[in-house]
Amino acid sequence: MTFFYILTGILLLGNGVLTALDKNHPRRLPSSLFWSIFGALFILGDWLPPLVCGALVLAMSLLGGLNLVKPKQSDEGSLNSRKAGADRLGNKLFWPALCIPFITLVGALGFPWLKNHGVNVVQGSATLVSLGIACLVSFVLACVLTREPPMQGLKENSRLVDAIGWSLLLPQMLATLGILFAKAGVGEAVASVVGEVLPKGVEFWAIVAYAMGMALFTMVMGNAFAAFPVITAGIGIPFLINDYHGNPAVMSAIGMFSGYCGTLMTPMAANFNLVPAALLELKDRNAVIKAQAPTGLLLLLANIVLLWWLL
Amino acid sequence: MMDAVNYWPLLGVGVVIIGFAIRANPLLVVTLAGVITGLAAALPFDDILTALGDGFTHTRTLSLILVLPLAVIGLLERNGLREQAGRWISGFKNASAGRLLAMYLLARELSAALGLTSLGGHPQMVRPLLAPMAEGAAGKAFGPLTDQEQQHLRAMAAATDNVGLFFGEDIFVAFGAVMLMHSFLTAKGINVEPMHIALWGLPTALCALLIHGCRVLYLDRQLANGKWRKAP
């Protein structure tokens, strides 16, 4: 696992160096600094004291948060050269791309199987290690197929990392915020406020409060896993189970899904909503959320009806 | 009974809500919310920095998943991957953007339900393959796409990947969410079989398939009616 952290770190540092070398860059120094710190933290994260890491993370967030991180001049080749590539290589282009999920799948299923048979090859998550191996194999395949030098791979990586920009840091910051919220007792405060205002004795409103509470608190936290224990302890168990004797399996399954409806509608779920918008080069960074909102709202409604009916 | 709950940390939640309401840079909002929450809970600044550093180190996999596939995808894109994806789909007679997305939704939800959550994803599937294919299919049927149509198709492709993943994964017993719910309920003295939690996820999973499936199929009609072609 450490190997892939270092590899990712090198790719990010590489972007820092390429940014520093780009003389026409509008924000050369801060952008280069951002990517270099990001890469360095990936490589040194396990060895530096957490306090130093924290200070560096804070510096990075400020660089990104004050809009000082900008992309380089992007060069993805001319449309003609891309069309020529598609003519020359045809469907062969799909092979390396499909290799990534295929090898990941084989590894994710294969490594645990090997482990059960007494051969323990990987440390850490089998899926993540498989993804890393898959990317390496596909990279070699892509270089051979397109006859591009590996150095071009670093440049292409840097082009796409630039397209994501500072929002690459966001999912990690949100996960950290979740930890801080938990430490500070935000969940207990929210559950206590909801418990105060909830009218007693009406099952339907308790159901609505539970489903909506899961969705809304997930929207604030960006993560249904963080919302579930809080809202279930604050609303679910005292009202739905103790007062109305609901089925806990139904409550938790549909409750968690109500949280996922919230995930569809919040910028706090950055890795699902904001990062793809940047990756797909959408002009409106909330475009993915807007596309999902009708599905999220209708499903939340469906969840309330299902809870009312099945609980 | 004394009310021992400390309401000050709610300031952090307030920062998040206000920050997004005034459309400030999300990274800045989240960082500020973190620092303010820590201070409101009377944590020393050193502890807040340590929490930031620890949080970053322990969540590195989130960025790793995003960055590692990019070199491969970039190389292939430079050599026409997206163009080829569009071409390939337009070779099919009955292909349409809506049908393609509906098929992908079904495949993504089923594979996620089987625990194969890493078969899709935005860097390795949506950007290089799914979105260009949807654009290719729509372009073949309705001629060159307008900017707005292209943007909307891409957003819907990303949305479809999310919906399929979210509402598939909870009906697989070994997935983290089911185990999390199970261990939480057990800790509260409520005994529930993980299998039952996974099974009661099915009704919502079907609703998700139905609702989002109808929405993407309806997309074809919206495109045919020129919804995103009229002057703004």
Side-chain angles (χ1 to χ4, degrees):
Chain A
M1 205 57 233
T2 314
F3 171 72
F4 291 113
Y5 281 141
I6 293 176
L7 187 65
T8 311
I10 293 173
L11 287 171
L12 292 169
L13 261 180
N15 192 32
V17 173
L18 287 176
T19 305
L21 292 176
D22 183 4
K23 292 211 173 63
N24 301 319
H25 197 288
R27 294 269 185 204
R28 180 150 63 135
L29 200 66
S31 304
S32 167
L33 203 59
F34 178 85
W35 294 113
S36 307
I37 299 178
F38 210 151
L41 278 176
F42 246 89
I43 299 171
L44 302 171
D46 290 323
W47 294 287
L48 283 177
L51 184 70
V52 178
C53 287
L56 288 172
V57 170
L58 192 63
M60 247 197 315
S61 325
L62 289 179
L63 286 173
L66 299 172
N67 291 322
L68 295 172
V69 178
K70 299 276 180 220
K72 297 184 289 296
Q73 215 38 256
S74 116
D75 168 30
E76 58 174 326
S78 69
L79 184 63
N80 282 336
S81 82
R82 277 183 283 143
K83 282 207 169 126
D87 286 338
R88 183 164 55 90
L89 296 163
N91 286 341
K92 276 188 208 154
L93 278 168
F94 295 142
W95 290 112
L98 293 175
C99 248
I100 299 180
F102 181 72
I103 297 177
T104 311
L105 175 66
V106 170
L109 298 175
F111 285 131
W113 185 82
L114 280 177
K115 196 175 173 182
N116 284 341
H117 288 71
V119 192
N120 200 357
V121 211
V122 291
Q123 309 275 315
S125 158
T127 310
L128 286 175
V129 173
S130 313
L131 178 71
I133 296 172
C135 290
L136 278 180
V137 174
S138 306
F139 183 66
V140 174
L141 195 64
C143 284
V144 173
L145 192 70
T146 59
R147 297 200 205 104
E148 300 267 17
M151 200 37 212
Q152 190 63 40
L154 179 67
K155 283 188 193 149
E156 297 302 323
N157 173 78
S158 141
R159 166 173 70 85
L160 292 178
V161 165
D162 261 353
I164 306 179
W166 52 259
S167 47
L168 184 61
L169 179 61
L170 205 47
Q172 286 189 263
M173 288 304 289
L174 284 161
T176 310
L177 181 65
I179 300 170
L180 268 171
F181 271 4
K183 243 189 180 169
V186 170
E188 288 77 0
V190 168
S192 147
V193 168
V194 176
E196 290 293 318
V197 295
L198 194 61
K200 307 265 182 293
V202 189
E203 188 178 1
F204 180 73
W205 289 115
I207 287 174
V208 171
Y210 180 61
M212 299 268 284
M214 273 299 298
L216 287 175
F217 199 51
T218 302
M219 287 172 76
V220 172
M221 303 286 290
N223 184 347
F225 284 16
F228 181 78
V230 173
I231 303 296
T232 304
I235 307 175
I237 294 178
F239 292 97
L240 299 187
I241 295 193
N242 294 350
D243 286 4
Y244 304 116
H245 311 288
N247 176 345
V250 173
M251 175 197 75
S252 33
I254 302 180
M256 185 66 95
F257 272 149
S258 304
Y260 286 7
C261 293
T263 316
L264 291 176
M265 300 185 283
T266 174
M268 297 293 278
N271 43 344
F272 297 111
N273 296 342
L274 295 186
V275 172
L279 198 56
L280 291 167
E281 286 153 32
L282 299 181
K283 282 170 208 135
D284 178 0
R285 74 176 175 223
N286 292 319
V288 178
I289 298 173
K290 285 178 188 158
Q292 286 169 171
T295 303
L297 287 172
L298 284 171
L299 258 176
L300 188 59
L301 202 69
N303 277 335
I304 293 175
V305 173
L306 284 171
L307 269 176
W308 178 234
W309 182 34
L310 298 169
L311 194 68
Chain B
M1 219 167 67
M2 278 286 292
D3 192 6
V5 178
N6 177 6
Y7 288 104
W8 281 110
L10 285 179
L11 271 179
V13 178
V15 171
V16 170
I17 294 168
I18 293 168
F20 284 121
I22 63 170
R23 298 177 68 91
N25 180 310
L27 189 57
L28 192 66
V29 173
V30 171
T31 310
L32 272 180
V35 173
I36 290 178
T37 306
L39 292 176
L43 293 174
F45 197 65
D46 285 10
D47 284 9
I48 299 176
L49 281 186
T50 307
L52 278 179
D54 265 339
F56 182 90
T57 317
H58 290 134
T59 55
R60 277 180 296 173
T61 49
L62 288 174
S63 302
L64 181 125
I65 298 171
L66 283 169
V67 172
L68 272 186
L70 291 181
V72 181
I73 299 301
L75 269 183
L76 295 172
E77 276 185 1
R78 192 184 174 80
N79 287 277
L81 176 65
R82 290 198 278 179
E83 284 70 18
Q84 182 64 23
R87 254 185 231 181
W88 182 76
I89 196 81
S90 55
F92 290 89
K93 232 189 187 159
N94 291 322
S96 79
R99 278 182 218 146
L100 172 81
L101 290 178
M103 291 270 290
Y104 183 79
L105 177 69
L106 181 67
R108 183 84 162 123
E109 201 169 326
L110 284 177
S111 62
L114 295 172
L116 308 172
T117 51
S118 48
L119 283 197
H122 298 285
Q124 65 269 46
M125 283 301 272
V126 180
R127 174 175 164 129
L129 297 171
L130 186 64
M133 282 183 185
E135 288 172 37
K140 183 191 157 209
F142 309 113
L145 299 179
T146 63
D147 212 30
Q148 258 186 312
E149 284 173 333
Q150 191 189 42
Q151 297 271 317
H152 189 74
L153 274 177
R154 287 182 183 179
M156 269 313 245
T160 305
D161 188 84
N162 284 340
V163 173
L165 171 69
F166 291 1
F167 297 95
E169 61 185 8
D170 267 13
I171 44 184
F172 177 63
V173 188
F175 181 67
V178 175
M179 298 322 287
L180 180 119
M181 290 186 255
H182 174 245
S183 57
F184 173 77
L185 290 175
T186 310
K188 294 278 172 190
I190 300 170
N191 283 319
V192 181
E193 283 294 309
M195 192 66 203
H196 288 154
I197 302 180
L199 279 178
W200 285 114
L202 275 174
T204 308
L206 285 175
C207 286
L209 195 63
L210 209 69
I211 291 172
H212 199 73
C214 287
R215 285 194 62 218
V216 292
L217 288 174
Y218 185 60
L219 198 62
D220 284 337
R221 190 176 303 172
Q222 290 176 312
L223 285 168
N225 292 341
K227 185 180 176 201
W228 294 283
R229 292 206 170 187
K230 291 168 196 132

